[in-house]
Amino acid sequence: PVSRVRPGDRFAVRAGSSIPVDGTVESGDAAVDESALTGESVPVDKEPGDPVSAGTIRRSGYMVCTASRVGSDTTLSRIIRTVADAQATKAPIARIADKVSAVFVPVVMGLALLTFIGWLVAGQEFGFAIARGISVLVISCPCALGLATPVAIMAGSGVGARNGILYRTAAALEETGRVGIIGLDKTGTVTEGSPRVTDVIPSGSCTEETLVSLAYALEKKSEHPLAKAVNLYAEEHGITAPETEAFRVLPGSGVSGNVLLDGRTVSLAAGNAAFIRKTFPGTALPDETIRSLASAGKTPLLFMLDRAMIGIIAVADTIRDDSKDAVQALDRMGIRVVMLTGDNRFTAEAIAGEAGIRDVVPGVLPDGKSEVVDYLKKAGKTAMVGDGINDAPALTAADVGLAIGAGTDVAIDAADVVLMKSRLSDVPAAVRLSRATLRNIRQNLFWAFFYNALCIPLAMGLFGIALKPMYGAAAMALSSFFVCMNALRLNLLDIHDGSRDRKRKAADADLSGFLKDPETGMAEAPGKDTDYTACGAAGNCGRAERKENMEKTLNIEGMMCMHCEARVKKALENVPGVSAADVSHEKGTAVVTLTEAVDSETLKKAVEDQGYEVKAIA
């Protein structure tokens, strides 16, 4: 049982099995599907010494690993915990109308009483004075003020639902229109999420059709995602293949087999350049073509026929049809787009260039994405768009999380907005609808205030008109009718029409200063303890060791639930010098990470101000 695995234990992983805990490969080599963590669709080749993570899947072969982190310490468990922590810290947005009503109602009641007394003092009859006071109360009934926000939100949510954009809360509908920065996951969000054949390059006398036919013959017996891309390409083009015998999956990302060609049996082999060089030493390879394809973010598959190279088929995860238009639309709206991906720099920059994205942060794991989002939030209100488990921490860390509807349940549960049609073009549409709704709310609130500012003096009789209460009631009803009709105008909005988009000045801030390292030219987020520049041409993206931070552990009494955790966490993280607080109501502790020395009494006071008792600080 997985529950009995301990750090240091050796465990075996067979083909098709899920890796149970985090560890290191001890023996064996194969491709591991890490899409559950990194979101990348292409399996990663693992050799002795390479790390493996719980929740990833071994596609073929046999591998023995040494356990390093188990149970709640695994990468997958930490992702789940990060999501829970982020959800616990979210607070509802206060409504403007609620704040105004708290002042408006007593002020109006005071004005009504003042009107009644004033007319009595002025010598008017009791009936006249009471009628003026009632008129003030009736005409200023805050119906329009109370309807201004909820009616617009109801109409906006309805328009979104009809277009496949689901706002999980009214707060999400309000906040989406205020974002100035949007982070995009690459795989499954900017790209299709599945590899496709992009180039077929035959060598010598071999034709394209022959190359694809022989490649299909070899790859149709393989389960590798790159093989599936070749198979799909052949099937789409109606290309048939001879039957393969003696098919084998070879160490080092290669396959081989025999086929009957022109009455004789020939051997076929396929793999990456490293595999071909190792298996067929002395073979002249088109290195310039291979480098060119790799720099464009493509994976070149080399095919050999009887030890002679017959061509290259390049495979890549292609961008969605609407990705470029969506990025351009966001740019016109004044929103800075940043792509976050676990892929290597070359692939990331190739995809970003094709989609028109200027800022890229490559080589980031799930918790790294949430750290980048936290940093971006310092520059402006930030949204995150993603589709996988690996995006969930970033979705919850962002001011607004948008999930692609075809993504995982975890991503959808963590998001504030769900794009049911799985189109990136719905991201600017969601922002556009939110901005229109916010604009409509402001119009309604303006009308409610303007109406009261004009009609209350009229009802008080200051203009020399003795307004009867029934006319005041009619005016009040008319104001409510106006607010409702104005909100319903949202139903006429074409959320995919960007011709009237306005570029927000607040989002024009130059973010390139902290997204580009002037020495390496690579994307990074300085000021954090994670190094995002450790990506090389081989795609060996890594992370630098974290800087040594000071920590203090507080033993707290009185926390009963996640809401208590959220209150304590927020209070501690508001203390200058505190970078993070890991709070657990079950353990009754708060582990505080400090960037500078902070007095224990300051931390204690921050917690006790929330109504909890600090028993000890270590």
Side-chain angles (χ1 to χ4, degrees):
V2 177
S3 60
R4 294 179 59 183
V5 178
R6 297 290 181 267
D9 288 350
R10 296 167 67 242
F11 61 92
V13 185
R14 295 174 175 81
S17 297
S18 174
I19 296 174
V21 298
D22 289 1
T24 305
V25 179
E26 182 179 296
S27 62
D29 52 45
V32 176
D33 182 354
E34 295 188 334
S35 58
L37 292 181
T38 65
E40 303 309 316
S41 56
V42 178
V44 178
D45 293 330
K46 297 291 184 180
E47 297 178 348
D50 289 341
V52 292
S53 300
T56 58
I57 299 173
R58 170 90 188 240
R59 286 301 183 188
S60 61
Y62 182 84
M63 182 168 62
V64 175
C65 307
T66 303
S68 58
R69 292 195 298 262
V70 302
S72 61
D73 292 331
T74 63
T75 302
L76 186 60
S77 295
R78 294 204 309 273
I79 291 174
I80 296 170
R81 189 164 57 249
T82 301
V83 174
D85 289 344
Q87 289 176 332
T89 59
K90 288 203 172 182
I93 299 175
R95 297 289 180 267
I96 296 176
D98 293 340
K99 295 180 180 179
V100 173
S101 296
V103 178
F104 180 80
V105 172
V107 168
V108 167
M109 294 180 69
L111 288 174
L113 181 61
L114 180 64
T115 300
F116 171 68
I117 295 173
W119 283 115
L120 286 180
V121 172
Q124 292 291 341
E125 297 179 356
F126 178 84
F128 182 89
I130 195 69
R132 301 290 75 72
I134 293 174
S135 293
V136 171
L137 289 175
V138 171
I139 206 167
S140 62
C141 180
C143 291
L145 188 62
L147 289 170
T149 300
V151 173
I153 287 176
M154 179 185 68
S157 297
V159 173
R162 287 197 298 273
N163 287 273
I165 301 173
L166 303 183
Y167 300 91
R168 297 176 71 92
T169 63
L173 177 55
E174 291 180 3
E175 289 296 286
T176 304
R178 297 191 175 108
V179 300
I181 306 168
I182 288 183
L184 299 179
D185 171 52
K186 180 180 78 69
T187 306
T189 303
V190 176
T191 66
E192 293 288 353
S194 57
R196 304 276 297 188
V197 170
T198 57
D199 301 87
V200 178
I201 308 172
S203 296
S205 60
C206 183
T207 64
E208 284 192 16
E209 184 173 349
T210 301
L211 173 60
V212 174
S213 176
L214 294 174
Y216 185 24
L218 194 58
E219 300 288 14
K220 67 181 179 180
K221 291 191 175 183
S222 172
E223 293 299 319
H224 198 285
L226 299 183
K228 292 181 180 179
V230 173
N231 299 340
L232 179 62
Y233 181 85
E235 292 166 2
E236 288 177 344
H237 288 77
I239 297 175
T240 59
E243 192 60 34
T244 304
E245 298 178 351
F247 175 81
R248 290 188 301 158
V249 177
L250 304 174
S253 300
V255 292
S256 69
N258 299 327
V259 297
L260 187 64
L261 186 65
D262 296 332
R264 66 187 184 92
T265 300
V266 296
S267 64
L268 283 176
N272 57 28
F275 165 79
I276 297 299
R277 287 192 179 95
K278 180 179 179 181
T279 310
F280 303 96
T283 302
L285 300 182
D287 293 330
E288 187 62 34
T289 301
I290 294 171
R291 279 195 296 269
S292 175
L293 292 171
S295 64
K298 302 173 183 178
T299 301
L301 302 177
L302 283 63
F303 292 86
M304 306 289 291
L305 175 65
D306 278 347
R307 305 185 67 84
M309 184 175 165
I310 58 173
I312 300 174
I313 295 180
V315 179
D317 189 4
T318 57
I319 71 168
R320 292 176 180 268
D321 294 337
D322 61 342
S323 290
K324 188 171 183 178
D325 291 338
V327 171
Q328 290 176 346
L330 292 170
D331 185 62
R332 287 195 300 269
M333 299 167 82
I335 297 175
R336 175 59 59 87
V337 179
V338 182
M339 190 175 80
L340 315 178
T341 176
D343 218 332
N344 65 73
R345 176 169 63 93
F346 294 101
T347 300
E349 291 185 349
I351 293 295
E354 194 174 349
I357 300 172
R358 289 174 291 176
D359 296 307
V360 185
V361 182
V364 284
L365 293 176
D367 54 343
K369 287 184 181 180
S370 64
E371 289 176 3
V372 175
V373 168
D374 284 337
Y375 191 84
L376 293 176
K377 286 165 66 176
K378 296 178 182 178
K381 195 168 289 292
T382 302
M384 177 68 192
V385 186
D387 71 321
I389 294 175
N390 60 300
D391 302 316
L395 290 173
T396 52
D399 294 303
V400 180
L402 296 94
I404 298 294
T408 65
D409 291 340
V410 174
I412 293 173
D413 288 342
D416 302 297
V417 184
V418 180
L419 309 178
M420 298 303 296
K421 294 183 179 179
S422 300
R423 301 185 309 195
L424 196 60
S425 58
D426 282 341
V427 174
V431 175
R432 196 173 291 123
L433 175 56
S434 177
R435 288 185 177 181
T437 304
L438 286 170
R439 186 165 57 249
N440 194 279
I441 291 173
R442 286 192 286 266
Q443 291 169 352
N444 287 345
L445 290 172
F446 171 79
W447 169 253
F449 288 121
F450 174 76
Y451 157 80
N452 281 288
L454 180 66
C455 291
I456 288 178
L458 179 65
M460 293 174 69
L462 299 181
F463 297 149
I465 300 174
L467 186 69
K468 293 182 180 180
M470 68 176 71
Y471 296 141
M476 181 271 295
L478 184 62
S479 71
S480 299
F481 176 79
F482 180 89
V483 165
C484 291
M485 290 300 103
N486 186 53
L488 291 176
R489 288 193 308 113
L490 288 170
N491 289 293
L492 304 176
L493 176 69
D494 181 0
I495 64 174
H496 293 288
D497 180 10
S499 59
R500 297 183 180 180
D501 287 342
R502 296 180 181 179
K503 192 166 186 174
R504 299 288 180 87
K505 292 183 179 180
D508 289 342
D510 183 12
L511 305 180
S512 61
F514 67 79
L515 286 173
K516 294 290 183 183
D517 180 348
E519 295 183 2
T520 65
M522 295 191 59
E524 65 167 4
K528 302 300 292 183
D529 53 14
T530 302
D531 179 11
Y532 299 107
T533 65
C535 280
N540 54 336
C541 297
R543 304 186 59 186
E545 294 183 1
R546 294 181 177 276
K547 293 178 181 177
E548 196 66 33
N549 285 317
M550 297 177 287
E551 287 188 350
K552 288 189 177 182
T553 301
L554 288 71
N555 293 321
I556 303 171
E557 190 173 279
M559 294 190 296
M560 303 295 292
C561 62
M562 294 182 68
H563 295 290
C564 298
E565 289 182 4
R567 290 179 61 184
V568 173
K569 181 180 178 70
K570 183 176 181 180
L572 288 171
E573 291 182 346
N574 283 335
V575 175
V578 176
S579 62
D582 185 6
V583 184
S584 170
H585 73 275
E586 296 174 347
K587 298 178 181 178
T589 61
V591 180
V592 180
T593 303
L594 308 174
T595 57
E596 60 186 60
V598 178
D599 186 73
S600 295
E601 287 301 317
T602 303
L603 298 175
K604 181 178 180 180
K605 185 177 185 302
V607 174
E608 291 184 344
D609 285 346
Q610 301 301 316
Y612 306 101
E613 184 178 356
V614 178
K615 289 293 187 180
I617 300 180

